[in-house]
Amino acid sequence: MLVDVELVLFIGQTYRGLDFFSTAIVLLAQLFNSTPLDQERFQVLAQPLSGGSWKLLVLEQLKPSPACWQVRADGLVNPSLVRFDFSGICSRYIDSNAYSIRINKTDLATSHSLRLIQEGGKLLLLGVPREAGNAILVASAALTNTVNNKVGGDAFLALRLAPGWQLSRRAYNGQGLSHIYFSTKALAAQANSNPPLITPKGVVPIRVIPYRPMR
């Protein structure tokens, strides 16, 4: 039986001399583990937005049909789940509450954010540290002028995970949760250094929701 669990971690505050931001990272690493996934059931996509920005979208095929996405002849992808009631058939992971980075069995949800950045002829999915440091290359896609002109509307760009990376599911006490990891046991590559980012302050609630596909 699946039971909802909710955790609230206090990040960025100091209490009795303890740095709770650092403590929270350690707690997350201890609380969560991961379980392997069938990579063929997932598609990692970049959705174009106005102003030249991009949004990360991960799709999961829960049942064999209907298909949650369609790969076009030109290599772009149409998320076909928008054309039917996909409850119990497809899952969507659309923001940082639904996906994060895990490296060497350490959950980096509180220390790194996933960002799509266009650099030359490539679109890079980077794990960007919230403090000073190098970004981590997680996935990428070629972005030629021809492809760029076609992307938009129903056409999304498929991202290829960097060597050594895979998708896994966050687990708590052996129970799968509705959260996907971009995970690796060793860093495959690093992108150029990024400017320091501001560490979140105050209380940051982190909800732990068990994975429960609708039937």
Side-chain angles (χ1 to χ4, degrees), residues 104-145:
N104 298 327
K105 299 182 179 181
T106 299
D107 189 317
L108 302 183
T110 59
S111 63
H112 288 68
S113 60
L114 284 161
R115 294 188 180 183
L116 285 166
I117 297 176
Q118 188 171 336
E119 186 175 285
K122 286 188 176 182
L123 184 65
L124 306 177
L125 176 61
L126 301 177
V128 180
R130 301 185 192 280
E131 297 182 339
N134 291 330
I136 305 164
L137 178 62
V138 178
S140 64
L143 194 58
T144 64
N145 289 334

Side-chain angles (χ1 to χ4, degrees), residues 131-210:
E131 297 182 339
N134 291 330
I136 305 164
L137 178 62
V138 178
S140 64
L143 194 58
T144 64
N145 289 334
T146 301
V147 170
N148 205 14
N149 290 335
K150 291 182 179 179
V151 172
D154 289 338
F156 287 26
L157 190 62
L159 295 166
R160 182 184 296 274
L161 295 179
W165 288 84
Q166 63 178 352
L167 297 177
S168 59
R169 187 175 299 283
R170 177 185 278 176
Y172 177 72
N173 283 342
Q175 180 172 290
L177 309 177
S178 54
H179 187 99
I180 296 298
Y181 283 130
F182 289 82
S183 60
T184 185
K185 293 182 179 179
L187 294 184
Q190 287 191 336
N192 293 329
S193 178
N194 282 269
L197 301 178
I198 299 175
T199 300
K201 300 294 181 181
V203 179
V204 180
I206 300 178
R207 300 191 63 201
V208 180
I209 306 173

Side-chain angles (χ1 to χ4, degrees), residues 12-31:
Q13 293 186 340
T14 300
Y15 178 68
R16 292 182 181 177
L18 295 177
D19 182 349
F20 270 78
F21 179 74
S22 299
T23 303
I25 297 175
V26 175
L27 287 175
L28 284 173
Q30 295 174 344
L31 283 173

